[in-house]
Amino acid sequence: MSRRQLKSRAASGKVFTTTSSSGFGAFSSTSTGSTLSYLSEPPDFSSISDANVVVSFKNLLKKDGTTKAKALEDLITYVEAHPFEQGGGAEEPVLEAWVQLYPRTSIDNSRRVRELSHTLQFELMKSARKRIEKYVPKIVATWLAGTFDRDRVVSRNATEGLSSFLTTPEKVTQFWKRCQPQILEYASNAILETKDTLSDERSTSTDDAEAKYHRVLGGSLALVLNLLQKLDAADVEKHQENYDKFFEAEKAWGSAISNDPTVRKLSCQLLLVCLGKRRNAVEAELPRLSKVYIAEGLKSSQSGSASDYIKALTTMSAEFPSIWTSDYRGKKSPSSRLKIFLEKGSQGSAVTFWDTLSQMLASLPSGIIPDDIEGAIDFMKVMKLGITRREEPRSNAVSAWTCYLNTAKHFLQLLLDEASIHRFIEETVFPLTEQYLFPVPERSSWASGAQLPVLIKAYTLAATSTNTELVGAIKKEWERLKEEYKTHMRNSLPEASKDHERSQKAIADEGSRWFALVGLILEGHAKTTDTERPIPDIPTGPSLELLQEGLKLLVSRNWKPFGAAATVESAFKNSSLLFKKQTPASNSLVQLLKGSVLETTETLLVSSSAPYIFSSIISLGDISGREQDFVQLWTTAIEAILPYMDESGAIQGVAKLVASKPSASLARQESRFQSHIVETCIKCACGTLTAGWTLFNAAIGFDALSELSEGQLARELTAHLTAPAGPASPGVLKALMLIAQKKPSILSQDQDTHMSLMMSLLSLSERSNANPEVPTLRTLLEHPLTGKSNLVEIIRQNINDVGPNSLGIDTLVQQTVQVQKAHGGLEPGSLVPDLKIWDKELSVFLDHAPDASLSLTSSLGSSYFLVSTASETSTANIKRDRSGCSIPGRMAMYTAQLLEFVLELGTLHLDKQVDLVVYLAVTAEIVADQLTIMDNEKIWKNLDIDEANIDAENLVSSARKVVSTLAANASGWRDGLGKDQSPVVRGVFSKLLEMAKSLSPSGLYSARVLSALLESLTENHGFPSSAEDWMAKLDVLKSSPTAVLPAVALMTGLGESLSVGKSVSNFCNRLVSDIAGASPQSEKSLVTLALLNACMPIYEIGLLPVANNRIVFAVRQITSWLETPETLDYRHAAEVCRSLRYLLPCIKDVYGAYWERAVEFCIHLWTEDSKEPLNNRLPYIHASLRLMSTIQSIEEPNDDLVDVLQSTSEKRSIAILELLKLPRDKETQPLQIMDAIICREVEKLPLEHVQDLSDLYGLVAVDSRAIQTAAFTVLHKALPAAQEELALDVLLEKKTAQLPHELLSLLLEAPTLEAYSDEALSLFPTSIRSYLLTWHLVFDAFQAASFKVRSDYAENLKTDNYIGPLMNFTFDVLGHSAAQGLNLDKANFTVEHIRSYDLKLADAEPEERNMQWLLIHLFYLVLKYAPGLFKAWFIECRSKQTKIAVEGWMTRFFSPIIISESLDDVAKWAATQETPAEDERELLVKVSRPAKEVTAGYEVDELHAAIAIKIPPAYPLEGVSVVGINRVAVNEKKWQSWILTTQGVITFSGGSIIDGLAAFRRNVVGALKGQTECAICYSIISSDKKMPDKKCQTCKNLFHRTCLYKWFQSSNQNTCPLCRNPIDYLGADTKARRGG
């Protein structure tokens, strides 16, 4: 039903809310016949106005369920479209038609049809309202019958329709009451229907016919059943005749043996109701009911209805016992029928079946159940067969056997003689107990009854009997079972036997079952002692005797038969009531146990019986009244065991002996025992005694340790938890976890122990290989018993001191957050590092002069050349954590995170705020420099470890963020006023300014922080002109040593904002003037240059606020130093280049020698053979490169400069190439910056300046990516240019072309996938990049090479199998080796990516994608230029998986491109063919791209010798095929040889179709060379496609054979047509031709 239908149904329920006489009284006396038969007349549809509705109704008469369902859906749509509000709803003829069709439709075999029929009925009720009331009598029974449909969907649909107007139980009852006649009439008619009347056997299967029949029959029974249930006797009596009519039908009662379980259930339920409301009618039918229910029903299948059946039969038997006797008319006795029924069990019914059956058997009249011994035993056997059937549900077992035992009890009351009683109980009851205790396959049929509830009932059946013979029988049985068990124990296999363990386990299992049963019996005895019928304790004596025998057996056989020991344990655990009474037998047993343990301790400990015996001792402690015996026995056992504590058996025994509260209390009082337990627990945790965990668990779990022992254990475990920087001991961690979970107070009794343990756990939790239990354990221990956390002290220790075991900063910050949350009143200053320690530790790193190359990356630039140190302190012995970080680094990281997540800076004292920010910022700048040059032995020992590198980068960014945040909130920083951060920033500024006055590393880094601070302040708050006065007060714009670094910081920090002020302009003029008189040997000149180079970037290049004449003098002075460049050290050289870069553009119009000197100086710096370390050379090389770039970019240069640049062009190119060869030991940022500039310059070099390529090949293999790129860029342009000359040399000198050996040498060490981890591979290592770029260069050579040179190159690569490793590596990386090749569409690689590789664009991509792109492009180049080599590799590839993946991948992504390009090449070649000679013709070529085919034809006498070259989808792996289209001028053999030759040329020339076409043309032209026309037909080709081949020996003219023969026939003479001389015509087909 649709949601809309449901909604409308619910909404319209208010329409039918009354059952008054005006509503339903009109049909109270109306009757109707059954319309269920398929033979009933169809309705008359002629009155229906809508033709579509007529079609739908007619479709309802068809046999197909789908057609009917569609018709019903259409009708529902029609009715919904005609609501009551529009014209009163559906028209009358529609209602009449539906009323006739509804009954048959509602019982259709299609569930969907039945469902929709009830939906349509409800929709019609809504639509027609009052008008349909007159039809209700005809359809009410059908509708109600639908509510009993066994399909829930159909039933719910019908019920919901009725519920919409029958909204209360009273209305429902009233409705059934009023409709009683119609329902009874429908039911009476329906019950008379048969399969043949309901279904047409011609079109209905037997199963469908049966289903419909049972549906109708069940509906009929259900209707009457509900009438009887819902209505009272008076209402039923009013229509007695109708009920009688219904029950007259044979099926009314006979349905109890129907084939359908639902029908059977309804029939049985109907009988039960009738016994209450129609008792007299039932009594009149007793013979018939006896026949149905006893004669027929007991032997028929009642599967699915047995519960209802037995309930009906039981009730009827109680009401009318005569159905078993006088009313029974069956051929066989009712007893035999009953046994048949019992043999089938419950037939899948619920557990209530057996309860009801028990009632029925008890109510049967005498004579039905046999009273002789044979009959009784046979009856019980039959009953047991039913209970033990495989189909019987296991959940029914207890109830079934209870029924069985109740029946047995009934028989025992019938049997009178002693022999019969003994035999009956032995054969029908005792096997249950025996099978339970000693199960054997022969008694497996009793297994389902061997359950304790059943056995207790079996025991009480005989034991509580008043019959003394029966009680005596059970006593004898227990004695027999005892003796049998004794025999089993005595005969159990010895230890030497291979089945010893299995044999003893069997004994143990028997003992467990024995004492489980005995325990329940004794509990029952104890509960019923004071009752009228107490349960006797018959098994007590045999059980105690059995235990005595077991203990004696154990001692005599050295405790080897552990099955007997397990039996003893079971007795103490499960049958403790055996020992509760102080009887001689039980006392004797306890004493025997005590003596046995004491006398044979050593033997006991090494035996398998020990755990069971010790467990028995513990169980004795739980028995009331045996406390004293337990203390004595436990103490005896412990004293006996202690001497053997090193043995595994003793440890397990002790574990058992402390595993209870009474025993643990005793253990705490034994001091000697305590020391043994602690020692064993420590050995166990340390892994030297693996057998001790049981004792550890027991000692902690049952609180067996004294307080002193607990403290000792906690201290020892904490000490053994971890070695320095090592992993946690798993055993110790496990031990601590057990303690924390079971008794955490042990670990927090001592504060020092607790603090040490917390420290170790925090350290362990931050390691990558940390045990997952560490955080859990730490959480359990964070709050000791004192309530005061030790975390604050731990944090302080780990910040102010450091070692390999120090906690990580993240851990410390997390703990700080927790402490702050837990203890909000903590003094903020207590959480920050000790600034004195920070200052002291930081000073060690500030004793070292910074690396010169840092001047490239720092904003202070030249200032790095000015600082010096008196002496350098070694950093080798600096304290560091396990990641190599020193105390200042840790303090800085901690402070940065503290300020971000925990601490408000403003909560500290102002001085502490200032110091904290200064130390943080200075430390971060030192770390930034270490990152820049990847230096060692600085704040971090080294940064090669990824984790350390990330931490360092995070520190720098966090510290700079702190400074920038402060600056953003300090608008009044210059005077330090305001409530924001201005006072702090003013304090930081003043402190940094003071520190920067020292020309030392400390001053340098202070100046660097100061510069960054000023830059951030300027960005946030600007720099007004009024700040000039402020700068004047600072008094730092001067050349004195104390003002150098402050001045540089001021100028670099404030930057361009100073360009409008006079103070800096004046300062710049003074500096330029000072340079004019400076000397290169003076340190003062270096200071002046450094200040000038810091000042000039404030202004745009070429716009210095200095007079030209001053600049000219300064430039002349500086360039005069360049006449002897070797006298300048690296600092002066760098500063000179930097200053000239700004000064020279200002005098670009001035002529002079300084232009040449500047250029020559740059060339000198690039080519000199300097002994300086590379880091010292980097500043002046970088500065000279930038200087040269600036000179070259000067607009409108003067003639001197133009001449210099032209004259030094080649020299500069060679010098730049020399820079590529500089030794590069380590990648640093300064080096990368320089290499990037070199790379850009190399790209601009003219190719004619690159003479010798041999030195450049090796540079492709260096570790520097920039140098690789530069070398590749040059070679990428130079190699193709060199191929034209090479091709000429090969042609003239007839030599074989070779790829450069230097290039091929780079391919020798091919990378493999196994050599790199996935992570390393994703970073595109330089070694792989070098290898792949080399291959790119190889194919660059191929690209511009001629056909001959390409062939030589391919042979060159084939000789040493260079292509194989490339293919292997390519397909390993791209996933083909694992059958998961890279999907280029999903990876967003387009056709352009495949065809070309742009190095610059690729380097901007992620490294892994860069590598994939290059591999994809190289594979494309292999297919294009060396397909033969790829095909050879493919054939030799041993992995079928790889081959399948590669072929499919190539065919999908690459073959279409290769094919397209091949066709394009053919089309281009065809369009640009050379003009043929006079006697030749062009090759006519047609390219069909859709068909991937090339057609070529050569015209001969208006005919074409034509071939087709077909390119397969898997080209070039699969070769092209050449086929002939039109053979001309040659015979078939010759033609085929041409085709094969063409195909061979293509195959062996690298797949070149053009070469194949050229070969075909040469063959045709060669064949036609010298051929003349036939003098007879004036054609070269004859009708049989042959050329003239018959020559006249006189005139030497050629003729076609066929033409000559025709001439002979027409002229009647054998003479030459031209010279008339005789010709001998010798043709192989002469006779044939003549015949023709």
Side-chain angles (χ1 to χ4, degrees), residues 108 254 578 711 999 1063 1224 1365 1494 1501 1566:
D108 194 85
L578 282 171
L999 273 176
S1063 55
R1224 293 167 172 81
V1494 176
D1501 275 355

Side-chain angles (χ1 to χ4, degrees), residues 131-174:
R131 290 191 294 112
I132 204 172
E133 287 186 1
K134 62 183 177 181
Y135 300 108
V136 169
K138 297 180 180 180
I139 52 89
V140 64
T142 301
W143 202 349
L144 288 170
T147 63
F148 306 116
D149 195 297
R150 65 189 66 185
D151 191 290
R152 292 183 180 180
V153 176
V154 178
S155 173
R156 184 173 63 247
N157 225 23
T159 303
E160 286 175 353
L162 287 165
S163 299
S164 63
F165 61 91
L166 301 177
T167 54
T168 64
E170 293 76 16
K171 289 183 179 180
V172 172
T173 304
Q174 188 70 9

Side-chain angles (χ1 to χ4, degrees), residues 266 905 1050 1326 1497:
L266 288 168
L905 188 62
L1050 197 69
T1326 53

Side-chain angles (χ1 to χ4, degrees), residues 1571-1582:
Q1571 293 291 338
T1572 58
E1573 295 175 345
C1574 172
I1576 298 174
C1577 67
Y1578 297 103
S1579 298
I1580 296 176
I1581 306 303
S1582 66

Side-chain angles (χ1 to χ4, degrees), residues 597 601 604-619 630 633-634 636-642 644-660 663 667 673 677 680 691-696 698-699:
V597 172
T601 305
L604 172 62
L605 290 177
V606 297
S607 71
S608 301
S609 298
Y612 303 107
I613 297 301
F614 294 138
S615 179
S616 302
I617 294 172
I618 293 299
S619 298
F630 165 68
L633 190 53
W634 187 88
T636 300
I638 287 296
E639 290 175 353
I641 290 174
L642 283 181
Y644 307 100
M645 278 298 287
D646 290 336
E647 298 179 9
S648 173
I651 294 172
Q652 300 301 323
V654 171
K656 286 283 185 182
L657 288 174
V658 299
S660 72
S663 61
F673 183 49
I677 295 180
T680 302
W693 283 112
T694 309
L695 175 57
F696 197 111

Side-chain angles (χ1 to χ4, degrees), residues 309-329:
Y309 173 80
I310 196 67
K311 192 180 295 183
L313 185 58
T314 300
T315 306
M316 192 162 54
S317 298
E319 293 283 335
F320 306 109
S322 61
I323 62 170
W324 292 93
T325 54
S326 59
D327 291 320
Y328 181 74
R329 302 287 187 271

Side-chain angles (χ1 to χ4, degrees), residues 1263 1265 1268 1311 1316-1333 1369 1373 1397 1399 1402-1403 1405-1415 1418:
D1263 289 336
R1265 287 178 179 265
Q1268 279 186 0
Y1316 300 89
S1317 65
D1318 291 345
E1319 188 175 335
L1321 196 65
S1322 66
L1323 298 176
F1324 198 6
T1326 53
S1327 55
I1328 297 177
R1329 186 174 187 262
S1330 164
Y1331 177 76
L1332 299 182
L1333 289 178
F1369 180 71
V1373 172
Y1397 175 77
L1399 191 57
D1403 283 342
E1405 297 276 5
E1407 296 294 355
E1408 187 173 13
R1409 180 175 173 81
N1410 185 354
M1411 178 172 62
Q1412 291 173 348
W1413 184 2
L1414 186 48
L1415 286 169
L1418 287 178

